[in-house]
Amino acid sequence: MTRRLAEVAKKVGVSEATVSRVLNGKPGVSPSTRTAVLTALDVLGYERPTQLRGERSRLVGLVLPELQNPIFPAFAEVVGGALAQQGFTPVLCTQTAGGVSEADYVELLLQQHVSGVVFFGGLYAQAESPHDHYERLAQRGLPTVLMNAAFDDLDFPQVSCDDAVAVEQAIGHLLSLGHRRIGLVMGPPDHVPSRRKLGAARAFAARAGLDLPDEYVEHALFSLEGGQAATARLLQRGVTGVVCASDPLALGAVRAARRRGLAVPGEVSVIGYDDSSFMACTDPPLTTVRQPIEAMGRAAVDLLVGEIEGARVTHDEVLFEPELVVRGSTGPVAQQN
């Protein structure tokens, strides 16, 4: 007990006696100090006294599927900073292969009496994955916000980048460079944002008089290796331009082209999605569709804090416009001899 008091007091910058008064529910402590002590208790992993367990902490869970794709740490940084400005402490929950699952993290966060949760690219975006833990959050009435497209049955505030506009920008750019054999590397078939992109691509191609046969569409896991394998198959079918559903997939596409001795962009053009960190520093610098992560992250926090404070916020999907960033991985279609 003494060690716990000392650690919490040091974390908050108050005396052990002040911490003791908070934990024992005694008067003489300001509301802000009381909140800070309880938050420090949660952050340090100590259980609250029984009489305080019903109160929500000033913690907010940030649940990410991975850290290898730079877009997820970038989103977490924006959302975490915006939460801190509102007086909340973000708790980063990152899934690893064979480690703690998304459902496990939900249980842990509920045990910590968090004020809310923000999900980034979670199982809600995979139509065939288990979703029971989302129902648990809904039943508990815990404020929850989803970043990017989710399957239709979830009734949470949702902030998304417009997948249809993104793929139209990418394909339109390749068309302007003379490409007609354009392949797509999407995420898994049940991935909702990829489904949206594919549907929009087919509709846009039909309007533009572009042939987009099934053999020009590949699905892959979101990784450099997945992008390389999928693009290798597309290149065998003669595509000259490749539109990818993420930047790591696009980097894999560049590698696949080079493994076949094809120049990028001289013989194959590649477009990514996200504009994550260092895409301007790759070889060649990657043409990609940028998600407006700053605006999206702050919108997610506004929705979450609104729900925490009891305001009525929209549960309609809030869509943000992406931006095509043209760099060195796209160029005019090579002239056929």
Side-chain angles (χ1 to χ4, degrees), residues 19 23 33 86 89 106 111 172 181 185 203 205 208 252 255 305 312:
V19 175
L23 298 185
T33 298
Q86 300 268 12
T89 300
V106 167
Q111 290 171 17
R181 298 196 300 275
V185 179
R255 179 192 285 180
V305 173
R312 295 185 64 181

Side-chain angles (χ1 to χ4, degrees), residues 254-319:
V254 173
R255 179 192 285 180
R258 287 181 169 162
R259 291 284 172 88
R260 289 178 62 88
L262 299 173
V264 178
E267 295 169 282
V268 178
S269 288
V270 176
I271 300 180
Y273 177 76
D274 285 334
D275 194 28
S276 45
S277 300
F278 308 118
M279 292 305 106
C281 305
T282 58
D283 181 24
L286 187 68
T287 295
T288 187
V289 180
R290 176 183 295 160
Q291 291 199 69
I293 60 173
E294 184 77 27
M296 291 172 65
R298 291 193 172 276
V301 171
D302 288 343
L303 288 169
L304 186 76
V305 173
E307 287 222 322
I308 291 172
E309 295 177 347
R312 295 185 64 181
V313 303
T314 181
H315 282 215
D316 294 332
E317 185 176 17
V318 180
L319 286 177

Side-chain angles (χ1 to χ4, degrees), residues 45-281:
Y46 292 120
E47 287 191 9
R48 295 187 180 201
T50 303
Q51 70 272 19
L52 300 177
R53 289 179 189 172
E55 299 184 25
R56 285 181 177 169
S57 68
R58 297 288 288 182
L59 303 177
V60 171
L62 307 184
V63 184
L64 285 69
E66 57 164 314
L67 293 177
Q68 290 183 329
N69 186 338
I71 196 64
F72 294 124
F75 266 127
E77 183 178 13
V78 170
V79 171
L83 285 169
Q85 290 175 355
Q86 300 268 12
F88 293 91
T89 300
V91 179
L92 193 63
C93 303
T94 306
Q95 300 165 62
T96 56
V100 181
S101 69
E102 191 173 275
D104 292 335
Y105 273 128
V106 167
E107 289 303 316
L108 290 170
L109 292 170
L110 288 173
Q111 290 171 17
Q112 290 297 317
H113 304 283
V114 296
S115 294
V117 186
V118 180
F119 288 90
F120 307 80
L123 296 180
Y124 60 85
Q126 300 173 24
E128 297 176 8
S129 294
H131 300 117
D132 293 347
H133 51 292
Y134 299 115
E135 296 300 326
R136 184 155 162 68
L137 289 171
Q139 291 168 2
R140 292 284 288 268
L142 187 68
T144 300
V145 175
L146 310 179
M147 297 291 289
N148 280 321
F151 82 105
D152 292 336
D153 293 342
L154 293 179
D155 184 25
F156 294 119
Q158 188 176 333
V159 175
S160 301
C161 190
D162 195 323
D163 293 298
V165 172
V167 77
E168 289 172 5
Q169 289 178 347
I171 294 176
H173 175 58
L174 291 178
L175 285 173
S176 73
L177 295 170
H179 294 272
R180 303 294 297 180
R181 298 196 300 275
I182 299 171
L184 305 179
V185 179
M186 299 287 103
D190 71 330
H191 184 244
V192 177
S194 292
R195 285 183 175 180
R196 289 185 175 185
K197 288 183 175 72
L198 180 55
R202 293 195 187 283
F204 182 73
R207 294 195 302 271
L210 176 71
D211 190 23
L212 185 60
D214 290 342
E215 63 179 14
Y216 282 8
V217 178
E218 286 286 339
H219 293 277
L221 296 177
F222 282 101
S223 66
L224 190 149
E225 293 78 13
Q228 180 180 345
T231 302
R233 294 189 290 270
L234 291 175
L235 293 175
Q236 290 175 349
R237 297 162 193 158
V239 303
T240 64
V242 182
V243 174
C244 299
S246 75
D247 290 338
L249 286 173
L251 295 181
V254 173
R255 179 192 285 180
R258 287 181 169 162
R259 291 284 172 88
R260 289 178 62 88
L262 299 173
V264 178
E267 295 169 282
V268 178
S269 288
V270 176
I271 300 180
Y273 177 76
D274 285 334
D275 194 28
S276 45
S277 300
F278 308 118
M279 292 305 106
C281 305

